[in-house]
Amino acid sequence: MFQRLLPALALVTLITPSLAAAQTLVFTAIPDEDETRLQQRFQAVADYFAETLEVEVRFIPVTSYAASVTAFRNNQVQLAWFGGFTGVQARQLVPGSRAIAQGVEDPEYKSYVIANHSTGLSPDDGDTAPEGLRDLTFSFGSQSSTSGRLMPEYFLREHLGASPDELFTRVGFSGNHSRTISVVQSGAYQAGVVSYKAWENELEAGNIDLDRVQVIWETPPYPDYQWTVRGDVDERFGEGFTERLQQALLDMDDPDLLASFPRAGFIPAVNDDYQEILEVAQSLGLLD
């Protein structure tokens, strides 16, 4: 009887490592800019992870901020480059998940309020949102964007004492920062708000006409983007995998890879770094 079991035991021994090796780490990123560039931006990052971590890695694009959170909740992805708010949402839905890294710039992130030149508004370096924004048409980005909606809306309410629906004659949600710049530049909306990084990226790419649209105000700083990983990845990829993944991010120093985000580098992050985002989202009724 024992001898008959030996082949079966040997088969299990041979199969188990191959099954582990076949596991694929799947990650995504919020579509904060033009979706057509996402695959190109992050395929090189996937290749870096695969080489550094010695596992198969696949990047899958998503069509919306909400879809990135849903994919994380459903374990369709185990890792995501989230904004501050989407990261908070995801970690609430998946207990045990962790923020593990953020860009060097992310603890002090900011948004730019932009306006079409036809408004006659001039740049304002004051500490509070300009009064001249009242009664304009205004575009946010995604409804779940930290820099394109959550924190700017909070500052507008705090500084001007009214909700967006009360402040503006028409409020829109473009879906991402690139489209917000486009609709304000075209005059479809008189003003809007974008991530300062997205503005700089689009400016460098030659997609902004400064004769038609300009930055008129910069928000106070707040924490934003981060990498969040599910809490069960060590069970799937082996003990210590989360720490190895975090170290791979902290060691990323290729300028071309970092330009995908764009960031100067990555530093450690923990869930508590985003307590401010959690509290603001709750105060706006966007999170239980």
Side-chain angles (χ1 to χ4, degrees):
M1 178 69 175
F2 178 72
Q3 289 180 330
R4 288 200 299 271
L5 283 174
L6 283 178
L9 290 172
L11 185 60
V12 170
T13 302
L14 288 172
I15 287 177
T16 302
S18 63
L19 287 175
Q23 294 284 355
T24 300
L25 175 67
V26 186
F27 77 99
T28 194
I30 56 170
D32 54 354
E33 296 182 43
D34 186 346
E35 298 97 323
T36 60
R37 296 201 297 262
L38 282 179
Q39 187 73 48
Q40 182 179 6
R41 284 172 58 191
F42 286 101
Q43 184 54 53
V45 177
D47 294 342
Y48 168 78
F49 283 146
E51 181 178 355
T52 305
L53 300 170
E54 299 181 328
V55 296
E56 291 187 13
V57 180
R58 182 161 54 95
F59 168 75
I60 58 168
V62 290
T63 57
S64 68
Y65 285 54
S68 69
V69 175
T70 298
F72 190 84
R73 179 192 64 195
N74 293 342
N75 202 17
Q76 294 167 292
V77 300
Q78 295 78 51
L79 174 70
W81 174 239
F82 283 130
F85 181 40
T86 45
V88 166
Q89 288 178 304
R91 291 190 294 275
Q92 284 208 323
L93 290 168
V94 185
S97 55
R98 294 171 49 192
I100 57 171
Q102 60 187 323
V104 170
E105 300 87 344
D106 287 305
E108 297 284 316
Y109 211 77
K110 57 192 174 185
S111 300
Y112 284 162
V113 173
I114 61 175
N116 190 283
H117 276 277
S118 65
T119 64
L121 291 174
S122 300
D124 186 329
D125 60 2
D127 293 332
T128 59
E131 286 286 337
L133 289 170
R134 292 182 187 273
D135 298 323
L136 299 181
T137 57
F138 192 92
S139 178
F140 292 101
S142 166
Q143 292 184 343
S144 300
S145 173
T146 309
S147 55
R149 190 272 177 93
L150 181 76
M151 294 308 296
E153 178 175 337
Y154 170 75
F155 292 128
L156 289 169
R157 287 174 178 267
E158 288 290 301
H159 297 171
L160 300 180
S163 70
D165 287 337
E166 296 167 324
L167 286 172
F168 307 118
T169 58
R170 177 163 54 96
V171 176
F173 292 92
S174 71
N176 66 45
H177 301 295
S178 300
R179 286 201 287 268
T180 299
I181 294 170
S182 178
V183 298
V184 176
Q185 181 165 272
S186 71
Y189 283 85
Q190 293 172 294
V193 65
V194 298
S195 151
Y196 86 103
K197 280 287 184 184
W199 173 270
E200 292 174 353
N201 207 31
E202 294 291 336
L203 190 62
E204 184 178 349
N207 297 328
I208 297 176
D209 183 349
L210 293 177
D211 290 330
R212 300 170 67 189
V213 63
Q214 65 178 334
V215 175
I216 62 164
W217 187 63
E218 178 183 304
T219 69
Y222 52 85
D224 202 349
Y225 291 72
Q226 89 293 151
W227 286 99
T228 289
V229 65
R230 289 178 60 94
D232 55 4
V233 292
D234 282 16
E235 296 175 21
R236 183 168 179 173
F237 296 99
E239 186 175 351
F241 185 80
T242 299
E243 284 65 33
R244 290 176 56 216
L245 177 57
Q246 181 184 47
Q247 195 60 50
L249 288 164
L250 302 184
D251 290 343
M252 188 185 292
D253 58 5
D254 184 332
D256 291 336
L257 287 180
L258 293 170
S260 300
F261 298 93
R263 293 296 185 275
F266 290 107
I267 58 177
V270 296
N271 293 0
D272 285 348
D273 291 336
Y274 297 88
Q275 184 64 27
E276 177 185 358
I277 301 299
L278 172 63
E279 293 172 359
V280 167
Q282 290 172 332
S283 74
L284 296 179
L286 301 176
L287 203 62
D288 295 332

